[in-house]
Amino acid sequence: MCAGKPYVLDGEAELDEVTTRRSGRYEPGPGARPEGRAGTRTAVRALVAESWRRSERARVSRDGTAPTELDEEELAAYRAGHPLAAAMPVIRELLGADARDGGHLLAVCDAGGRLLWVEGDPAALRRARRMNFTAGAGWAEAAAGTNAPGTALAVGRPVQVMSAEHFRRPVRAWTCAAAPLHDPHSGRLLGAVDLTGGEDLAHPHSLGLVRAVARAAEGRLALLTPAPGRPRLTALGRDEAVLVVDGRRLRLSRRHSEILVVLAHRPEGVTGEELLTLLYEDGSVTPVTLRAELSRLRALLGPGLLRSRPYRLAGPVDADFAAVDRRLASGAVAAAAGDYAGPLLPGSAAPGVVRLRDRLADRLRAALVARADPLLLADWAHSAWGEEDVEVWRALCAAVPAAQAAPVRARLDALEAELSAGTAELRRPLLPAGAGGPGRPPLAPGAPSRPLRSPATGLQRPLPHTRR
């Protein structure tokens, strides 16, 4: 076949392609044009044409099947130690349900095109075995011809391959979309994520979906394997944050924890006046006090990490609360819930931290309620911060199987009764300190009023007429 001439499909492939086009599900790419009716020959996309040329040069058989490169024992050991194993929870969460419900397959391969995981609809799995689209099989382009995961690895970008575009005839009943996966720090190619199914996947949305899943998976790997030398800040579920920097593990004071959380959230930096308002409830705190705290923090961290004018960190910091926020933004709710170790600096009253803490908890709670997954809801409801979260208990009561609903309903009824009693308490006339009331003992001078436990977060909040 001469370079520069349009690569053409044989009669059988062209017939498949024409049939798919007539179904209304196939949209030819740039450069694709029909050159006749069924039984003649049709030009294909340039991407596919180049892949077919590579397949022919590799002497791939048109009617063969992919080779098995790893047996069960080898596969188990190789898969357990592969970097992509850490990304599979996110990939399954974002793509697994779509594959199962749509009659499709989710597959992940290594950089050599060997399939490590193939999961999805049971009927589709059985059909895929006929062409050896199974874990342990080699689907590199040089071994299996034009196919989405193998070709995505070959060209280094997301690829969609539809029915007749596959080089091998046994694969032409399938449509697939795949995107490469890279090490987030070194950029090294790790493999590809693939969605394989019938002609209903012949849509641009399929390609966009696998591209988004690949980015989310790389984000997960970035969190689990921070860039060498990059500081890591842990502030969820603890009042005193921990910073790992230059091989040192530093437990920070409460005020220093608040400063680093605020600056990690604002990498562009903040002015001294703005930092005062973000850290201190009391407006009487002077800039001198803040500068003294920053000076002590700079001495603890060492030179170069904390800068001024504006106050900012010298470079990116891997913060656990920011990672949860990214998971939520990408739709990885289960991963976000798994990474959430508790409220952000729960004992802090710094206005900037309180806003971040409430926003993150509210976003995660809303995502859990919307997902309506009873296991995720139960994890939150039985946590220290969610044990009195009425909204989540209501969602759990609606989501849990009927056989398990009785104890959930009992707990919800108790919480709602407590909430009603607390509302009635708030409606009572406010009494000055030292005054009791019918059936109420007098308060000791200067004693704080009884705090009301928030049904939303389980954290104690003072009544409106008290000061913290």
Side-chain angles (χ1 to χ4, degrees):
M1 183 166 302
C2 301
K5 291 185 179 181
Y7 201 101
V8 293
L9 296 167
D10 61 23
E12 176 188 341
E14 184 232 347
L15 180 60
D16 289 345
E17 183 176 0
V18 171
T19 301
T20 308
R21 283 180 175 175
R22 286 175 178 170
S23 74
R25 298 179 183 271
Y26 178 83
E27 188 67 30
R33 65 184 189 279
E35 294 186 348
R37 298 180 180 274
T40 62
R41 303 202 298 178
T42 302
V44 299
R45 294 184 292 154
L47 170 74
V48 178
E50 291 301 323
S51 176
W52 277 42
R53 292 190 182 103
R54 291 192 297 270
S55 301
E56 284 203 330
R57 287 196 294 268
R59 299 185 181 278
V60 177
S61 166
R62 293 283 185 94
D63 296 301
T65 57
T68 297
E69 298 186 4
L70 296 171
D71 62 28
E72 289 188 11
E73 185 176 349
E74 293 170 330
L75 174 64
Y78 181 62
R79 195 161 54 182
H82 198 278
L84 290 178
M88 284 306 297
V90 164
I91 294 174
R92 288 189 179 107
E93 180 182 0
L94 296 181
L95 210 52
D98 288 338
R100 288 189 302 273
D101 297 343
H104 310 316
L105 298 177
L106 152 67
V108 174
C109 67
D110 68 3
R114 289 176 289 191
L115 298 179
L116 303 184
W117 292 271
V118 181
E119 304 170 357
D121 175 67
L125 285 168
R126 288 192 295 271
R127 293 195 305 272
R129 291 192 192 104
R130 300 170 194 164
M131 59 180 182
N132 205 28
F133 193 79
T134 57
W139 278 76
E141 197 180 70
T146 305
N147 69 91
T151 302
L153 294 174
V155 300
R157 61 183 176 88
V159 164
Q160 189 168 29
V161 178
M162 293 169 281
S163 59
E165 294 181 326
H166 288 93
F167 186 81
R168 278 187 162 155
R169 293 185 180 95
V171 191
R172 289 176 184 164
W174 300 81
T175 290
C176 47
L181 294 162
H182 298 88
D183 182 289
H185 305 305
S186 68
R188 178 172 62 93
L189 181 65
L190 298 177
V193 58
D194 169 78
L195 183 63
T196 287
E199 64 176 11
D200 52 339
L201 288 182
H203 192 284
H205 290 171
S206 303
L207 192 61
L209 177 60
V210 294
R211 182 185 287 114
V213 171
R215 298 294 80 76
E218 290 171 353
R220 175 69 172 174
L221 294 177
L223 172 66
L224 296 176
T225 56
R230 179 178 290 183
R232 286 186 288 126
L233 179 65
T234 304
L236 291 175
R238 56 193 312 144
D239 291 326
E240 296 180 338
V242 171
L243 180 72
V244 177
V245 56
D246 296 332
R248 297 178 297 150
R249 187 179 186 275
L250 305 175
R251 182 168 179 171
L252 306 173
S253 70
R254 293 196 175 201
R255 184 62 74 193
H256 289 169
S257 299
E258 293 165 345
I259 293 172
L260 279 189
V261 163
V262 168
L263 295 183
H265 178 65
R266 296 283 299 273
E268 75 280 7
V270 295
T271 65
E273 181 179 355
E274 188 177 8
L275 192 53
L276 270 174
T277 64
L278 291 171
L279 293 176
Y280 297 97
E281 294 177 285
D282 187 352
S284 65
V285 175
T286 67
V288 173
T289 301
L290 176 60
R291 285 197 294 270
E293 286 286 1
L294 290 167
S295 178
R296 286 191 285 270
L297 178 58
R298 186 178 284 110
L300 175 67
L301 300 181
L305 185 59
L306 182 61
R307 295 181 179 175
S308 56
R309 299 183 183 178
Y311 291 113
R312 65 196 188 280
L313 298 176
V317 171
D318 290 314
D320 58 352
F321 62 90
V324 172
D325 207 31
R326 290 194 299 271
R327 299 285 168 272
L328 290 173
S330 68
V333 179
D339 292 341
Y340 187 77
L344 175 64
L345 299 182
S348 172
V353 173
V354 171
R355 283 198 293 273
L356 283 176
R357 180 172 65 225
D358 290 349
R359 188 191 74 170
L360 185 61
D362 289 347
R363 286 191 64 202
L364 181 53
R365 180 189 302 108
L368 291 172
V369 170
R371 177 63 63 89
D373 183 317
L375 295 179
L376 295 180
L377 289 168
D379 284 344
W380 180 279
H382 292 290
S383 68
W385 55 87
E387 61 185 356
E388 297 187 1
D389 190 330
V390 175
E391 181 184 4
V392 170
W393 279 98
R394 286 172 180 156
L396 178 60
C397 193
V400 76
Q404 304 171 18
V408 177
R409 168 51 64 185
R411 176 60 177 156
L412 177 59
D413 289 344
L415 286 175
E416 289 182 329
E418 183 180 336
L419 179 61
S420 298
T423 302
E425 177 82 7
L426 285 174
R427 288 173 178 168
R428 292 189 182 189
L430 301 181
L431 300 176
R440 300 179 67 191
L443 298 173
S449 300
R450 182 176 63 85
L452 174 69
R453 185 174 292 273
S454 165
T457 63
L459 301 177
Q460 287 193 342
R461 295 181 180 174
L463 294 174
H465 59 288
T466 66
R467 289 180 60 86
R468 183 170 292 192

Short mmCIF file of all heavy atoms in Angstrom, two decimals, residues 230-235 238 240-252 256-257 260-261 264 297 300-302 305 313 316-319:
data_model
loop_
_atom_site.label_atom_id
_atom_site.label_comp_id
_atom_site.label_asym_id
_atom_site.label_seq_id
_atom_site.Cartn_x
_atom_site.Cartn_y
_atom_site.Cartn_z
N ARG A 230 7.75 18.11 47.73
CA ARG A 230 6.62 19.02 47.94
C ARG A 230 6.09 18.85 49.37
O ARG A 230 5.83 17.72 49.81
CB ARG A 230 5.52 18.74 46.93
CG ARG A 230 4.30 19.65 47.12
CD ARG A 230 3.25 19.38 46.07
NE ARG A 230 3.68 19.81 44.76
CZ ARG A 230 2.91 19.75 43.68
NH1 ARG A 230 1.68 19.27 43.76
NH2 ARG A 230 3.36 20.17 42.52
N PRO A 231 5.89 19.93 50.11
CA PRO A 231 5.36 19.82 51.48
C PRO A 231 3.96 19.21 51.48
O PRO A 231 3.17 19.42 50.56
CB PRO A 231 5.33 21.28 51.95
CG PRO A 231 6.28 22.01 51.07
CD PRO A 231 6.21 21.32 49.74
N ARG A 232 3.66 18.45 52.55
CA ARG A 232 2.34 17.85 52.72
C ARG A 232 1.74 18.32 54.02
O ARG A 232 2.38 18.24 55.08
CB ARG A 232 2.45 16.31 52.71
CG ARG A 232 2.70 15.74 51.33
CD ARG A 232 2.66 14.22 51.34
NE ARG A 232 3.83 13.64 51.99
CZ ARG A 232 3.78 12.77 52.98
NH1 ARG A 232 2.63 12.39 53.46
NH2 ARG A 232 4.90 12.29 53.49
N LEU A 233 0.50 18.81 53.94
CA LEU A 233 -0.19 19.36 55.10
C LEU A 233 -1.40 18.50 55.41
O LEU A 233 -2.27 18.29 54.55
CB LEU A 233 -0.62 20.81 54.82
CG LEU A 233 -1.37 21.53 55.95
CD1 LEU A 233 -0.47 21.71 57.17
CD2 LEU A 233 -1.87 22.89 55.45
N THR A 234 -1.48 18.00 56.65
CA THR A 234 -2.60 17.19 57.10
C THR A 234 -3.35 17.96 58.17
O THR A 234 -2.78 18.24 59.24
CB THR A 234 -2.12 15.84 57.66
OG1 THR A 234 -1.35 15.17 56.66
CG2 THR A 234 -3.30 14.97 58.06
N ALA A 235 -4.60 18.33 57.89
CA ALA A 235 -5.35 19.18 58.83
C ALA A 235 -6.77 18.71 59.05
O ALA A 235 -7.50 19.33 59.81
CB ALA A 235 -5.35 20.62 58.31
N ARG A 238 -8.18 17.01 62.98
CA ARG A 238 -7.22 17.27 64.05
C ARG A 238 -7.12 18.77 64.30
O ARG A 238 -7.25 19.58 63.38
CB ARG A 238 -5.86 16.69 63.69
CG ARG A 238 -5.27 17.17 62.39
CD ARG A 238 -4.07 16.33 61.96
NE ARG A 238 -3.14 16.14 63.04
CZ ARG A 238 -2.45 15.01 63.25
NH1 ARG A 238 -2.58 14.00 62.41
NH2 ARG A 238 -1.63 14.89 64.27
N GLU A 240 -4.41 20.28 65.62
CA GLU A 240 -3.04 20.71 65.34
C GLU A 240 -2.57 20.00 64.08
O GLU A 240 -2.41 18.77 64.07
CB GLU A 240 -2.13 20.41 66.52
CG GLU A 240 -2.52 21.19 67.78
CD GLU A 240 -1.62 20.89 68.96
OE1 GLU A 240 -0.98 19.80 68.96
OE2 GLU A 240 -1.53 21.71 69.88
N ALA A 241 -2.37 20.75 63.03
CA ALA A 241 -1.99 20.18 61.73
C ALA A 241 -0.58 19.61 61.78
O ALA A 241 0.24 19.99 62.64
CB ALA A 241 -2.10 21.23 60.65
N VAL A 242 -0.30 18.72 60.84
CA VAL A 242 1.04 18.15 60.70
C VAL A 242 1.56 18.53 59.32
O VAL A 242 0.87 18.36 58.31
CB VAL A 242 1.02 16.62 60.85
CG1 VAL A 242 2.36 16.02 60.49
CG2 VAL A 242 0.64 16.25 62.29
N LEU A 243 2.76 19.04 59.27
CA LEU A 243 3.41 19.41 58.01
C LEU A 243 4.65 18.55 57.83
O LEU A 243 5.50 18.48 58.73
CB LEU A 243 3.80 20.90 58.02
CG LEU A 243 4.49 21.40 56.75
CD1 LEU A 243 3.51 21.48 55.59
CD2 LEU A 243 5.15 22.76 56.99
N VAL A 244 4.73 17.89 56.68
CA VAL A 244 5.94 17.14 56.33
C VAL A 244 6.67 17.93 55.26
O VAL A 244 6.14 18.17 54.17
CB VAL A 244 5.59 15.73 55.81
CG1 VAL A 244 6.85 15.00 55.38
CG2 VAL A 244 4.84 14.93 56.88
N VAL A 245 7.88 18.37 55.57
CA VAL A 245 8.65 19.19 54.64
C VAL A 245 10.13 18.87 54.81
O VAL A 245 10.64 18.77 55.93
CB VAL A 245 8.38 20.70 54.89
CG1 VAL A 245 8.67 21.10 56.33
CG2 VAL A 245 9.14 21.57 53.91
N ASP A 246 10.80 18.68 53.68
CA ASP A 246 12.25 18.40 53.69
C ASP A 246 12.60 17.23 54.61
O ASP A 246 13.61 17.25 55.32
CB ASP A 246 13.04 19.64 54.11
CG ASP A 246 12.89 20.79 53.13
OD1 ASP A 246 12.64 20.50 51.94
OD2 ASP A 246 12.98 21.95 53.55
N GLY A 247 11.74 16.21 54.63
CA GLY A 247 12.02 15.04 55.44
C GLY A 247 11.69 15.21 56.91
O GLY A 247 11.84 14.27 57.70
N ARG A 248 11.21 16.39 57.31
CA ARG A 248 10.86 16.63 58.71
C ARG A 248 9.35 16.55 58.89
O ARG A 248 8.59 16.98 58.02
CB ARG A 248 11.34 18.01 59.16
CG ARG A 248 12.85 18.20 59.13
CD ARG A 248 13.21 19.61 59.56
NE ARG A 248 12.64 20.60 58.62
CZ ARG A 248 12.28 21.84 58.99
NH1 ARG A 248 12.39 22.21 60.25
NH2 ARG A 248 11.81 22.67 58.08
N ARG A 249 8.92 16.03 60.01
CA ARG A 249 7.49 15.98 60.35
C ARG A 249 7.24 16.95 61.50
O ARG A 249 7.70 16.71 62.63
CB ARG A 249 7.07 14.57 60.74
CG ARG A 249 5.57 14.39 60.94
CD ARG A 249 5.27 12.93 61.29
NE ARG A 249 3.83 12.68 61.36
CZ ARG A 249 3.08 12.89 62.43
NH1 ARG A 249 3.65 13.36 63.55
NH2 ARG A 249 1.78 12.64 62.40
N LEU A 250 6.54 18.01 61.22
CA LEU A 250 6.33 19.08 62.20
C LEU A 250 4.89 19.10 62.67
O LEU A 250 3.97 19.19 61.85
CB LEU A 250 6.68 20.44 61.58
CG LEU A 250 8.07 20.59 60.98
CD1 LEU A 250 8.22 21.95 60.31
CD2 LEU A 250 9.14 20.40 62.06
N ARG A 251 4.70 19.02 63.97
CA ARG A 251 3.36 19.20 64.54
C ARG A 251 3.21 20.67 64.90
O ARG A 251 3.96 21.20 65.72
CB ARG A 251 3.17 18.33 65.77
CG ARG A 251 1.78 18.44 66.36
CD ARG A 251 1.53 17.37 67.39
NE ARG A 251 0.21 17.48 67.98
CZ ARG A 251 -0.33 16.57 68.78
NH1 ARG A 251 0.36 15.48 69.08
NH2 ARG A 251 -1.54 16.74 69.27
N LEU A 252 2.25 21.32 64.29
CA LEU A 252 2.12 22.77 64.40
C LEU A 252 1.20 23.16 65.55
O LEU A 252 0.29 22.41 65.93
CB LEU A 252 1.56 23.34 63.10
CG LEU A 252 2.33 22.97 61.83
CD1 LEU A 252 1.58 23.45 60.60
CD2 LEU A 252 3.74 23.55 61.86
N HIS A 256 -0.48 28.37 64.22
CA HIS A 256 0.33 28.09 63.02
C HIS A 256 -0.42 27.17 62.05
O HIS A 256 -0.28 27.31 60.83
CB HIS A 256 1.67 27.47 63.43
CG HIS A 256 2.59 28.43 64.11
ND1 HIS A 256 3.75 28.03 64.74
CD2 HIS A 256 2.53 29.78 64.25
CE1 HIS A 256 4.37 29.09 65.25
NE2 HIS A 256 3.64 30.16 64.96
N SER A 257 -1.22 26.26 62.60
CA SER A 257 -2.04 25.41 61.74
C SER A 257 -3.01 26.26 60.94
O SER A 257 -3.20 26.05 59.72
CB SER A 257 -2.81 24.39 62.59
OG SER A 257 -1.93 23.54 63.30
N LEU A 260 -1.21 28.18 58.09
CA LEU A 260 -0.84 27.36 56.93
C LEU A 260 -2.07 26.91 56.14
O LEU A 260 -2.02 26.83 54.91
CB LEU A 260 -0.03 26.15 57.38
CG LEU A 260 1.46 26.41 57.63
CD1 LEU A 260 2.20 25.09 57.84
CD2 LEU A 260 2.11 27.16 56.49
N VAL A 261 -3.17 26.61 56.82
CA VAL A 261 -4.39 26.23 56.10
C VAL A 261 -4.86 27.39 55.23
O VAL A 261 -5.21 27.20 54.05
CB VAL A 261 -5.48 25.80 57.09
CG1 VAL A 261 -6.86 25.80 56.42
CG2 VAL A 261 -5.17 24.41 57.64
N ALA A 264 -2.35 27.86 52.34
CA ALA A 264 -2.43 26.77 51.37
C ALA A 264 -3.67 26.93 50.49
O ALA A 264 -3.64 26.59 49.30
CB ALA A 264 -2.47 25.43 52.09
N LEU A 297 6.62 31.23 63.07
CA LEU A 297 6.35 30.17 62.09
C LEU A 297 7.48 30.06 61.08
O LEU A 297 7.91 28.95 60.72
CB LEU A 297 5.03 30.45 61.38
CG LEU A 297 4.62 29.45 60.29
CD1 LEU A 297 4.51 28.03 60.86
CD2 LEU A 297 3.31 29.86 59.64
N LEU A 300 10.32 28.17 62.51
CA LEU A 300 10.04 26.74 62.62
C LEU A 300 10.19 26.04 61.27
O LEU A 300 10.77 24.95 61.17
CB LEU A 300 8.63 26.53 63.15
CG LEU A 300 8.12 25.09 63.21
CD1 LEU A 300 8.92 24.29 64.24
CD2 LEU A 300 6.63 25.05 63.54
N LEU A 301 9.68 26.67 60.21
CA LEU A 301 9.67 26.03 58.90
C LEU A 301 11.02 26.06 58.22
O LEU A 301 11.32 25.21 57.38
CB LEU A 301 8.63 26.72 58.00
CG LEU A 301 7.18 26.70 58.48
CD1 LEU A 301 6.29 27.40 57.47
CD2 LEU A 301 6.72 25.27 58.70
N GLY A 302 11.82 27.03 58.54
CA GLY A 302 13.09 27.18 57.85
C GLY A 302 12.98 28.21 56.75
O GLY A 302 11.87 28.62 56.36
N LEU A 305 10.25 28.92 52.80
CA LEU A 305 8.91 28.39 52.60
C LEU A 305 7.83 29.45 52.75
O LEU A 305 6.83 29.43 52.05
CB LEU A 305 8.65 27.24 53.58
CG LEU A 305 7.31 26.51 53.39
CD1 LEU A 305 7.22 25.90 52.00
CD2 LEU A 305 7.14 25.42 54.45
N LEU A 313 2.86 31.07 50.59
CA LEU A 313 3.82 29.97 50.62
C LEU A 313 4.65 30.01 49.34
O LEU A 313 4.16 30.38 48.27
CB LEU A 313 3.09 28.64 50.76
CG LEU A 313 2.26 28.49 52.05
CD1 LEU A 313 1.49 27.18 52.04
CD2 LEU A 313 3.16 28.58 53.28
N PRO A 316 3.70 25.11 45.82
CA PRO A 316 2.50 24.31 46.10
C PRO A 316 2.68 23.43 47.33
O PRO A 316 3.78 22.94 47.61
CB PRO A 316 2.34 23.47 44.83
CG PRO A 316 3.16 24.16 43.78
CD PRO A 316 4.29 24.83 44.50
N VAL A 317 1.58 23.22 48.03
CA VAL A 317 1.55 22.33 49.19
C VAL A 317 0.44 21.31 48.95
O VAL A 317 -0.67 21.67 48.54
CB VAL A 317 1.28 23.12 50.49
CG1 VAL A 317 1.01 22.17 51.64
CG2 VAL A 317 2.46 24.02 50.81
N ASP A 318 0.73 20.03 49.19
CA ASP A 318 -0.30 18.99 49.07
C ASP A 318 -1.09 18.96 50.38
O ASP A 318 -0.62 18.41 51.38
CB ASP A 318 0.33 17.63 48.80
CG ASP A 318 0.92 17.53 47.41
OD1 ASP A 318 0.22 17.94 46.46
OD2 ASP A 318 2.06 17.07 47.27
N ALA A 319 -2.28 19.57 50.37
CA ALA A 319 -3.11 19.64 51.57
C ALA A 319 -4.25 18.63 51.47
O ALA A 319 -4.89 18.51 50.42
CB ALA A 319 -3.68 21.05 51.73
#
